[in-house]
Amino acid sequence: MSYNYDFAIAGLVILCFIIYHFNRFKHLDNVHTNIFKFLLTISVFDVILDIISSMIMELGDSSFVNLNTFFVTIFYILQVLFPFTFLCYIQTLKSSNNKNLVNIIKRWVFLPIIMIILIFINTGKGFLFYFDINGNYIRGEWYLLMYFFTLQLV
């Protein structure tokens, strides 16, 4: 299978332009901008890890299994952090009251924590994903859990 990197690279370039513009012209130091900066950072690392892990997966070499497991695990963690951070960012825009954000975080933070724990447990169990002896990516029996997590936050 051949992965098309064009969209990921274009997305990375656009994110870099946004970061450049944001850091050059927006010098506000409040909750909105701090969460937005964190959201941009997660997005950049997410795209970079997507490209790296896809390149290693395309090789399908058994010598890269541990390296790819590491990259895909970090990629999955970023996939958990992104929707939660986006939810927090939306809440800061919705209300000028920071108490609302604190209540949202207290109410919803347990879901990302549980998912991150499950992702770390996955490295030994393989219920979300694993790599076979030949280095091929295999979806685990619970791989849809990542999608359900994202939908739960919506």
Side-chain angles (χ1 to χ4, degrees):
M1 185 173 117
S2 181
Y3 184 79
N4 185 353
Y5 299 100
D6 296 342
F7 293 113
I9 293 170
L12 188 59
V13 168
I14 291 169
L15 282 170
C16 288
F17 280 131
I18 292 170
I19 289 171
Y20 171 76
H21 177 76
F22 190 77
N23 286 332
R24 183 149 187 231
F25 298 110
K26 300 283 185 186
H27 297 290
L28 304 172
D29 192 27
N30 57 29
V31 175
H32 307 296
T33 56
N34 290 336
I35 292 178
F36 188 70
K37 285 178 190 177
F38 186 66
L39 193 61
L40 285 174
T41 305
I42 288 174
S43 301
V44 167
F45 284 122
D46 187 56
V47 172
I48 290 171
L49 284 173
D50 182 30
I51 293 170
I52 291 172
S53 60
S54 296
M55 290 171 92
I56 295 173
M57 277 188 235
E58 268 188 345
L59 294 175
D61 191 353
S62 60
S63 60
F64 293 117
V65 169
N66 290 336
L67 182 65
N68 210 10
T69 301
F70 172 76
F71 282 128
V72 174
T73 300
I74 301 300
F75 176 69
Y76 270 47
I77 290 170
L78 291 175
Q79 292 291 310
V80 168
L81 290 176
F82 184 83
F84 179 71
T85 307
F86 193 64
L87 175 71
C88 291
Y89 180 66
I90 290 170
Q91 292 304 316
T92 62
L93 295 176
K94 214 170 108 174
S95 169
S96 61
N97 184 356
N98 286 342
K99 282 186 175 181
N100 190 27
L101 178 62
V102 171
N103 289 334
I104 291 284
I105 290 174
K106 284 181 183 177
R107 211 168 345 137
W108 289 97
V109 76
F110 71 92
L111 286 172
I113 290 172
I114 289 170
M115 276 306 299
I116 290 172
I117 290 170
L118 288 174
I119 291 168
F120 280 122
I121 292 171
N122 177 70
T123 57
K125 302 291 184 187
F127 53 85
L128 293 173
F129 71 90
Y130 63 94
F131 292 90
D132 65 7
I133 194 114
N134 297 323
N136 297 318
Y137 174 85
I138 309 292
R139 291 179 180 160
E141 53 197 38
W142 289 8
Y143 82 96
L144 289 176
L145 189 62
M146 292 295 291
Y147 300 108
F148 290 129
F149 164 76
T150 304
L151 289 174
Q152 179 69 29
L153 289 178
V154 176

